[in-house]
């Protein structure tokens, strides 16, 4: 199963010049909040476009899902009040909460959920997690509040996947216009969208839990410039900035007006290596590249120190994680010896393709310097996102690239020989498939550990670090996520002290 998602937080092309907005959260008995975000959503329907900024505004706020992902990565009931999972991990029976309505007055039924998932699996679907829905072999509405889903293969992450923005439940009559006029079952309605400036949500008085919602109005201000982001926080124009740029954080740490939350993630920032291109198809060359890179120096330069070194395409906190950083540690002498063993004539010239995010371009400076020490001359090539998506991801015209993959469950991309990594390994494929079909957690984690180890031994990429997302907020604002397995801003959990 292939899923893609990339961290696009520096894609300035989606941001525009901002007009001043009032700090609503400081008035009206503290029932409003203003949040900052780097990217403007491209629409209001997370089921048709890949931009994570859509879910940052709408997930759990405007739309709801069968399950709800918690900050620690666990899964709780939401529209489904309970469920049963068959021992083979293929059959799931969901029991929906009774009495749930959409914003347009239509009831939530099992048939509605069936429509939403079949729409996501349709041949014309542009859902970035389409594979989650196409693997559903059968979707059956047993009665108005009971739904049975039978998957083609076991999927131990299925309940988590159903809590992501791409799995929101949409209402058939409004589905086609959700991008501009979103209709969901969530506690908030779209109040206003000032394109290029801000999105405003207001509490829906008819929501089943309306009485417990503390935040009645929320403004998402689009601010792409790091200096402007910090200034908005300091002035009080913004109450919180989730996933604030790491370089802006130090000035807030000693300020008693603010809280600084450092959250783990499921993201993996890597030096992608084109395994299909000589001499990078030689494992000794790839190992040399990995051994030449000081991960801690890269983290300091690319992420302001907010990162945890990784040795494979898996992160601390994820089920079945094992520490593989010791397989290809920083060792210049070993790197030089490996280059010699591979018979590479130096200097070897390689191109490093860099998408727009600062982590890529700042981290590149360190990596270029480090690889020069083993006779690899790296030429940096800065491209825009559209160029990266076409030339690197789709056409695979690259040697090296720095990118952060934020999708929680994308280990299987290394099992796809057509993916831009160009990686092929029967041993990895076998271990990964074993992790997919194992019905026992111990066996699953053992297979995952083997898969991680194989990727590290093969130096399938330069595995750099797990990003840590930083949130800076007014100290009186409560309910912010302290960990971020996915990008979401759950307004219903927020309140003022």
């Amino acid at each position: 199963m292939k899923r893609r998602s990339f961290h696009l937080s520096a894609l300035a092309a989606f941001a525009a010049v901002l007009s001043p907005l009032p700090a609503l959260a400081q008035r009206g008995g503290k029932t409003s909040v203003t949040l900052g975000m780097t990217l403007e959503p491209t629409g209001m329907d997370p089921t048709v476009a890949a931009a994570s900024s859509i879910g940052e505004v709408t997930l759990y706020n405007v739309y709801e899902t069968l399950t709800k992902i918690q900050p620690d990565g666990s899964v709780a009931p939401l529209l489904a009040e309970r469920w049963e999972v068959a021992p083979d991990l293929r059959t799931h029976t969901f029991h929906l909460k009774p009495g749930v309505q959409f914003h347009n007055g239509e009831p939530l039924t099992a048939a509605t959920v069936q429509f939403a998932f079949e729409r996501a699996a349709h041949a014309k679907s542009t859902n970035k997690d389409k594979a989650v829905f196409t693997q559903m072999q059968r979707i059956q509405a047993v009665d108005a509040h009971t739904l049975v889903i039978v998957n083609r293969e076991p999927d131990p992450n299925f309940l988590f996947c159903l809590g992501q923005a791409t799995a929101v439940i949409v209402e058939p009559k409004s589905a086609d216009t959700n991008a501009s006029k979103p209709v969901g079952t969530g506690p908030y309605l779209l109040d206003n969208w000032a394109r290029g400036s801000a999105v405003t949500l207001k509490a829906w008085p008819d929501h089943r839990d309306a009485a417990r919602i503390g935040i009645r109005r929320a403004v998402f201000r689009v601010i792409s410039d790091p200096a402007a982001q910090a200034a908005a926080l300091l002035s009080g124009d913004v109450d919180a900035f989730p996933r604030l740029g790491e370089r802006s954080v130090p000035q807030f740490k000693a300020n008693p007006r603010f809280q600084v939350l450092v959250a783990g993630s499921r993201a993996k920032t890597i030096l992608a290596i084109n395994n299909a291109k000589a001499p990078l198809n030689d494992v000794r060359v790839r190992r040399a590249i990995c051994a030449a890179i000081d991960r801690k120096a890269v983290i300091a330069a690319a992420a302001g120190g907010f990162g945890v070194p990784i040795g494979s395409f898996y992160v601390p906190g994820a089920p079945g994680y094992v520490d593989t950083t010791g397989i290809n540690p920083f060792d210049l002498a070993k790197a030089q010896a490996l280059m010699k063993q591979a018979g590479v004539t130096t200097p070897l010239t390689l191109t490093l393709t860099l998408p727009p995010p600062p982590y890529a371009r700042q981290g590149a400076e360190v990596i270029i310097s480090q690889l020069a020490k083993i006779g690899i001359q790296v030429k940096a090539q800065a491209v825009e996102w559209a160029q990266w998506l076409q030339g690197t991801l789709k056409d695979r015209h690259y040697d090296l690239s720095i990118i952060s993959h934020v999708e929680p469950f994308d280990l299987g991309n290394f099992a796809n020989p057509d993916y831009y990594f160009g990686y092929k390994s029967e041993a990895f494929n076998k271990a990964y498939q074993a992790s997919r079909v194992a019905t026992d957690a111990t066996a699953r984690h053992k297979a995952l550990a083997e898969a991680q180890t194989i990727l590290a031994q093969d130096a399938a990429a330069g595995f750099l670090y797990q990003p840590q997302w930083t949130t800076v907020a007014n100290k009186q604002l409560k309910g912010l996520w302290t960990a971020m397995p996915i990008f979401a801003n759950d307004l219903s959990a927020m309140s003022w002290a």
Side-chain angles (χ1 to χ4, degrees):
M1 183 182 300
K2 179 174 70 176
R3 303 173 189 145
R4 304 179 198 149
S5 183
F6 305 101
H7 184 34
L8 310 183
S9 65
L11 212 178
F14 284 94
V17 177
L18 304 174
S19 58
L21 291 172
L24 297 173
Q26 302 301 326
R27 298 196 286 273
K30 290 189 180 295
T31 59
S32 299
V33 67
T34 300
L35 303 179
M37 60 189 304
T38 301
L39 287 181
E40 181 178 18
T42 56
M44 290 292 145
D45 186 352
T47 70
V48 300
S52 61
S53 55
I54 303 174
E56 290 182 64
V57 172
T58 64
L59 181 60
Y60 307 144
N61 298 326
V62 177
Y63 304 105
E64 294 178 310
T65 44
L66 291 185
T67 64
K68 186 172 185 179
I69 299 168
Q70 304 297 297
D72 64 359
S74 62
V75 175
L78 190 52
L79 291 177
E81 60 182 5
R82 57 189 173 86
W83 52 80
E84 293 93 41
V85 182
D88 64 1
L89 299 186
R90 291 180 58 231
T91 303
H92 295 70
T93 302
F94 295 94
H95 303 275
L96 306 184
K97 285 184 178 178
V100 176
Q101 285 191 326
F102 286 89
H103 299 150
N104 62 2
E106 294 294 324
L108 171 74
T109 67
T112 314
V113 179
Q114 181 176 352
F115 163 82
F117 291 168
E118 289 179 346
R119 172 177 176 263
H122 193 273
K124 294 183 179 180
S125 169
T126 55
N127 191 308
K128 79 175 182 67
D129 288 332
K130 186 176 180 178
V132 173
F133 307 98
T134 56
Q135 75 137 341
M136 295 180 184
Q137 186 175 24
R138 181 166 60 91
I139 308 173
Q140 180 185 2
V142 178
D143 56 42
H145 296 98
T146 308
L147 183 80
V148 175
I149 299 176
V150 180
N151 289 323
R152 301 179 194 282
E153 296 180 351
D155 187 353
N157 305 314
F158 186 61
L159 294 173
F160 187 105
C161 292
L162 294 187
Q164 297 187 116
T166 48
V168 299
I169 308 305
V170 299
E171 200 281 313
K173 294 184 178 66
S174 59
D176 291 342
T177 57
N178 275 341
S180 58
K181 299 176 182 179
V183 171
T185 58
Y188 294 90
L189 303 168
L190 175 65
D191 185 39
N192 184 56
W193 185 2
R195 305 276 177 156
S197 179
V199 178
T200 303
L201 304 182
K202 63 179 180 181
W204 180 36
D206 294 329
H207 189 265
R208 61 193 181 276
D209 293 326
R212 70 172 182 82
I213 302 298
I215 299 299
R216 311 302 298 173
R217 183 177 176 83
V219 178
F220 292 82
R221 280 192 60 182
V222 182
I223 309 176
S224 60
D225 179 69
Q229 293 173 354
L233 281 163
L234 290 167
S235 67
D237 287 341
V238 167
D239 299 309
F241 212 116
R243 296 165 290 280
L244 183 70
E246 299 89 351
R247 294 178 180 272
S248 299
V249 172
Q251 62 189 300
F252 296 100
K253 283 189 171 181
N255 191 323
R257 292 170 48 209
F258 296 96
Q259 54 182 314
V260 177
L261 305 175
V262 180
S265 72
R266 294 291 177 90
K268 291 81 53 182
T269 301
I270 67 171
L271 176 69
I273 300 174
N274 191 341
N275 284 242
K277 189 174 182 180
L280 300 174
N281 58 352
D282 188 325
V283 68
R284 294 169 297 185
V285 176
R286 299 197 302 272
R287 288 173 179 167
I289 289 173
C290 293
I293 295 174
D294 182 348
R295 295 183 182 97
K296 292 182 179 179
V298 174
I299 293 169
F306 291 97
V308 176
I310 55 174
S312 188
F313 204 64
Y314 219 66
V315 297
Y321 168 80
V322 292
D323 185 357
T324 56
T325 53
I327 292 177
N328 288 309
F330 175 50
D331 187 335
L332 276 178
K334 178 182 176 181
Q336 291 166 343
L338 284 166
M339 289 288 284
K340 188 174 181 180
Q341 290 173 20
V344 175
T345 301
T346 55
L348 170 65
T349 301
L350 298 175
T351 299
L352 176 61
T353 304
L354 300 171
Y359 70 78
R361 300 188 178 182
Q362 293 162 2
E365 297 177 9
V366 174
I367 289 175
I368 290 171
S369 174
Q370 292 175 341
L371 294 183
K373 296 177 181 178
I374 63 169
I376 299 178
Q377 292 185 351
V378 177
K379 295 181 179 180
Q381 180 182 40
V383 298
E384 294 305 314
W385 270 114
Q387 293 173 284
W388 190 92
L389 292 170
Q390 180 65 43
T392 304
L393 179 66
K394 185 176 180 181
D395 297 337
R396 292 183 282 175
H397 291 161
Y398 81 105
D399 296 326
L400 309 170
S401 186
I402 298 176
I403 189 69
S404 188
H405 288 253
V406 304
E407 179 70 33
F409 303 113
D410 53 359
L411 183 66
N413 282 335
F414 281 93
N416 177 10
D418 295 325
Y419 200 56
Y420 82 107
F421 299 143
Y423 175 74
K424 297 179 181 179
S425 168
E426 289 301 322
F428 172 82
N429 294 350
K430 182 178 179 181
Y432 176 69
Q433 183 60 18
S435 75
R436 297 275 302 147
V437 301
T439 57
D440 173 73
T442 300
R444 185 182 315 128
H445 293 170
K446 181 180 179 181
L448 282 169
E450 183 180 358
Q452 294 169 64
T453 301
I454 291 169
L455 289 182
Q457 292 172 338
D458 286 349
F463 303 106
L464 301 174
Y465 63 93
Q466 171 200 35
Q468 294 175 309
W469 309 132
T470 52
T471 295
V472 174
N474 185 302
K475 204 162 192 175
Q476 301 305 309
L477 184 60
K478 307 300 180 183
L480 294 162
W481 279 21
T482 55
M484 293 185 192
I486 60 171
F487 285 6
N489 295 299
D490 184 6
L491 296 172
S492 66
M494 297 182 194
S495 62
W496 288 96

